[in-house]
Amino acid sequence: MLQLKQLMHKSLLAILGSAAIAASSIAVADSALLDIAKAKSDQCVADTKEMRANHMEKILHQRDKTLREGIRTKQHSLKECINCHVEKNSAARFGDNKHFCSSCHNFAAVTIDCFQCHADRPDSDKKHSLNTSSFPHYADNSAEGVSK
Amino acid sequence: MIEKTINFSRRSFVGKTATAAAGISIAPGVFLHQVANAKPADQAATSEVRWGMLINTNKCATGCTACVSACNEENGIQSNDRPESDPQWIRKVKLRDTQTGHVTSLPMMCQHCENPPCVDVCPTGASMKREDGIVLVDKHICIGCRYCMMACPYKARSFVHETITDQKDYAPRGKGTVESCTMCVHRVDDGGTPACVEACNAAEHGAMIFGDLKDPQSEISKELEKHGGKQIRADLRLNTGVRYQGI
Amino acid sequence: MGYLSLLAFLGAFVLAALGSTYYMEHNGHWVTGMNNQIVWGMPHVFAVFLIVAASGALNVASISSVFNQKIYKPLAPLSTLLALALLIGGLMILVLDLGRPDRLIVAMTKYNFKSIFAWNMILYNGFFVIVGVYAWFMLDRTMKKYSRYAGFAAFIWRLALTTGTGSIFGFLVARPGYDMAMMAPMFIIMSFSFGLAIYLLVLMASYNWTNRPLGDVVVNRLRKLLGVFVAAVLYFVIVYHLTNLYATEHHGFEAFMLLGDSGGSKYSSIFWIGQILLGSLIPLAMIYAPGVANCRKTLATACVLIIIGGLAQMYTIIIGGQAYPMEIFPGMEVLESTFADGVTTIYSASLPEILLGLGGMAMSMIVVALGIKVLSFLPQSLADDVADPHYKAE
């Protein structure tokens, strides 16, 4: 079951990925499902292909390290995903097609429960990470080779 | 299991960075106290420290709820005007000794036991104690069975009865799971002080001291050595990390 | 009542339970009677009752296999079916009342072996396997020779299961109503009584509805056994309270539970009227009164009263135990607190919680009804000349 689900997930993402490329080169009207929030892939912690396929494992690994051990590196932290990919005070909330996470998860019909507990947009008191440096996730991660 | 790689000890790190880090201000008027103790972000909490609190009930002012407000503000705890089901991480309690009539006021919260009953009873291991003694709920695997609430001798835990949105990004909280005081673990990992202690100091009561119980040079250890501090329900031998004076 | 209308009737309760769950989970548990003081409410009363009764429903099978009593042999398969059905109903309630029922998979894959609750999950799952195998061995002619061994394993397992259930409460050191090792044996004897009462009701009802003969020999044996179990539960309850009364530190709790002091009158009423009078004394009289020895209606009424008394007992244990204020500050009186310190909590079950509990019971009965229909759990006849090896026609 799980494998089948993952397979479906991956193939759907592949379709989605190619559709997204098509959408960016040719103007496609009225394709709400493919209206993915800006990913800014050139600045992400890994290339788009890798992130699309494996972002959940990175977040899962980091979640246990942070909660149970207090390791708070930013590279794979969900908080930083949100800081980058969701605008401060964004009108699009998790569940809306325009929310970065939902834009894919709604389409692929993969249910996640992250945002039952986690904030789905950046803390309004904080500056948007993308505006602070070109490599936000590496900014204060001077001790290299940590959460690889 | 997750590998623990500690390349150098906390103390040697502190030696190298103390001068650089001391006295950083994050906002006008707000200083990161004890920032010299900051654990580098990539290092795990270790059992070389045990975080604790000492509360002097003689300094704790009756009617003052600065610590409670600060906790609610810090962790995004909002009331739905349903006191029976609203979460409370810290509460003020006023007590009278039935023998002497002496009245005391104190803040009550998770006592961060060394042998926490909530951790013992949790079926999934969601209730857990960090190496540095902070007791937390791993909401990723909490199934909301509430057995920890049955087991806690201090009624320190709350069940989240309602949907929560716009949480603080450092304090995730959600419906259907159990939660309690985290000793502001996000601040502690950043070298800071729990919000309640900071608020108590800001209100100039100074009834709460936060620090490392294992460091004999820390303010809390010195004060405990000099004047002592009691555990609530010491008979249960839980070796609490929160101690009280004046009860 | 036709078979299909019976299923439809029970199914309506199950649907109501599922609807209640959706309502509670969608809104959050604030819509129920529970709060941060009473964290286990009416669903737990039903769930723990059914789980305890599940183990007790296995009595008849145990007597036949472990103690080799021939008269009980034809009764044993129904006993295993009922045990499985009651456990399914109880666990259904327990899971649907979780804060995060969607995380059942987490509960099944992540175990903290220090937790008696985690051990219980293993005990419940093992119970399904062992009792399932036991039922299979009894119903399959080629495996019948092994059924005795399976029966022995099931007997040991059910004792462990009820010990585990009782220990969930017995291990709670901080609450004066619980912290007692006697909880485990008390739960075992409670299981004997509740389980047999349900078994007798199901036996009499199913033979009645399917027009099969059921003789007095079998029924009277079970009736007398039930009387012993009810008396034994009463004995354990007396010893439990005497033990608490011996220790001065528990006098407050006893005054609360027995006399209704410090706002506990609701719980003491349920204790005296529900548990002691309706659940123990009247059924005992109905079982042992000489004039009604062969009266099925009297016996059925006694069984229903024992079930009501059992639910009342669960209510006083689970909810009464939480309602009594925990002594956090010994020697101190609480003058002010925002979190109900030192105050008795009054719990009122909400309709969804009650519907969830009843739905679990209905679920159990559906499983029994389906099982009886599909497999040969019921012998064609339990008339005296068939059932009793010593039968002589008068």
Side-chain angles (χ1 to χ4, degrees), chain C residues 353-376:
Chain C
E353 289 172 288
I354 296 169
L355 287 178
L356 177 57
L358 292 175
M361 286 192 147
M363 185 71 197
S364 300
M365 292 306 114
I366 287 178
V367 173
V368 172
L370 289 176
I372 290 175
K373 192 83 171 174
V374 175
L375 290 166
S376 53

Side-chain angles (χ1 to χ4, degrees), chain C residues 60-264:
Chain C
V60 174
S62 298
I63 298 168
S64 95
S65 292
V66 179
F67 302 106
N68 210 18
Q69 293 282 315
K70 285 215 165 48
I71 190 171
Y72 289 99
K73 289 237 189 273
L75 297 170
L78 176 65
S79 164
T80 55
L81 173 66
L82 188 58
L84 293 175
L86 292 172
L87 190 60
I88 288 171
L91 291 182
M92 181 187 111
I93 302 171
L94 210 56
V95 167
L96 292 181
D97 187 56
L98 289 177
R100 297 294 306 261
D102 52 318
R103 289 189 178 155
L104 181 60
I105 188 71
V106 174
M108 292 297 176
T109 50
K110 290 199 184 281
Y111 289 106
N112 165 26
F113 288 104
K114 250 194 124 177
S115 165
I116 187 69
F117 215 64
W119 280 103
N120 271 302
M121 300 207 191
I122 296 168
L123 289 168
Y124 300 150
N125 289 333
F127 191 81
F128 282 123
V129 174
I130 291 176
V131 177
V133 167
Y134 181 30
W136 165 38
F137 283 5
M138 282 193 296
L139 295 176
D140 184 344
R141 255 175 245 282
T142 57
M143 303 304 283
K144 193 140 194 153
K145 52 185 178 288
Y146 303 115
S147 69
R148 202 164 170 228
Y149 304 107
F152 199 76
F155 178 67
I156 302 287
W157 199 270
R158 55 76 63 94
L159 290 181
L161 185 141
T162 326
T163 303
T165 313
S167 300
I168 285 179
F169 299 96
F171 286 2
L172 293 174
V173 290
R175 295 186 186 257
Y178 297 138
D179 177 29
M180 202 187 281
M182 213 183 90
M183 280 288 178
M186 188 164 87
F187 268 59
I188 289 179
I189 205 70
M190 280 153 63
S191 84
F192 287 178
S193 170
F194 308 159
L196 190 56
I198 296 176
Y199 180 88
L200 260 167
L201 272 184
V202 169
L203 183 74
M204 292 192 289
S206 53
Y207 270 71
N208 198 3
W209 288 338
T210 56
N211 291 317
R212 297 179 211 208
L214 178 64
D216 283 335
V217 173
V218 166
V219 173
N220 280 338
R221 279 250 198 149
L222 294 175
R223 184 173 60 87
K224 283 172 190 158
L225 193 60
L226 184 62
V228 173
F229 290 160
V230 173
V233 172
L234 197 55
Y235 166 78
F236 266 83
V237 170
I238 292 167
V239 174
Y240 166 84
H241 287 290
L242 284 178
T243 310
N244 264 346
L245 284 170
Y246 183 76
T248 312
E249 59 169 326
H250 290 147
H251 283 183
F253 178 73
E254 286 304 309
F256 167 83
M257 190 53 84
L258 301 182
L259 306 175
D261 277 11
S262 42

